[in-house]
Amino acid sequence: MARNVLFVCSQNRLRSPTAEQVFADWPGIETASAGLKPDADNPVTPELLQWADLIVVMEPVHKRRLGERFRRWLSDKRIVCLGIPDDYDFMAPELVRLLQQKVPPLLR
């Protein structure tokens, strides 16, 4: 059975879509990404949170905002913060390297 991993950042334009793409072909993993801001390309929804087995956020503020806005859908969810600041372009090599370093231990 595949594990569903949701990557979350602010606007779903740079970090979380990069993570979704980097791990899209990972065996046994289904990926999606979303953003917490109202103008996010793909906003976080209760349905996405219910789908996810693991929620990976980029910054501590994302974890806090998730808890503030979606607490009732998070009670049994594992949320991990990667600590990756909003300093990278989509698919930037340094961002990909950071993700490849930090995410695989979470997927095992």
Side-chain angles (χ1 to χ4, degrees), residues 21 24 33 54:
Q21 191 164 321
S33 65
L54 171 65

Side-chain angles (χ1 to χ4, degrees), residues 33-49:
S33 65
L36 282 160
K37 290 199 171 171
D39 64 340
D41 284 4
N42 182 39
V44 172
T45 63
E47 293 76 22
L48 265 176
L49 296 172

Side-chain angles (χ1 to χ4, degrees), residues 2 4 13 21 24 34 38 42 46-47 56 64 67 72 76 85 89 94 98:
N4 298 331
R13 295 196 179 117
Q21 191 164 321
N42 182 39
E47 293 76 22
V56 179
R64 191 179 75 241
R72 68 188 243 210
D76 60 343
D89 290 328
E94 179 65 11
L98 274 171

Side-chain angles (χ1 to χ4, degrees), residues 22-72:
V22 167
F23 296 100
D25 296 329
W26 196 271
I29 301 294
E30 294 291 324
T31 60
S33 65
L36 282 160
K37 290 199 171 171
D39 64 340
D41 284 4
N42 182 39
V44 172
T45 63
E47 293 76 22
L48 265 176
L49 296 172
Q50 289 172 313
W51 168 86
D53 298 310
L54 171 65
I55 300 166
V56 179
V57 300
M58 298 297 155
E59 298 178 69
V61 67
H62 300 140
K63 189 171 184 176
R64 191 179 75 241
R65 286 193 187 128
L66 267 179
E68 289 166 357
R69 290 179 43 204
F70 297 100
R71 182 168 312 285
R72 68 188 243 210

Side-chain angles (χ1 to χ4, degrees), residues 13-15 18 85-96:
R13 295 196 179 117
L14 305 173
R15 291 172 291 175
T18 297
D86 193 8
D87 295 340
Y88 305 96
D89 290 328
F90 178 70
M91 293 304 288
E94 179 65 11
L95 175 57
V96 171

Side-chain angles (χ1 to χ4, degrees), residues 74-86:
L74 298 173
S75 60
D76 60 343
K77 299 296 178 180
R78 180 172 175 220
I79 305 171
V80 178
C81 179
L82 297 179
I84 297 177
D86 193 8

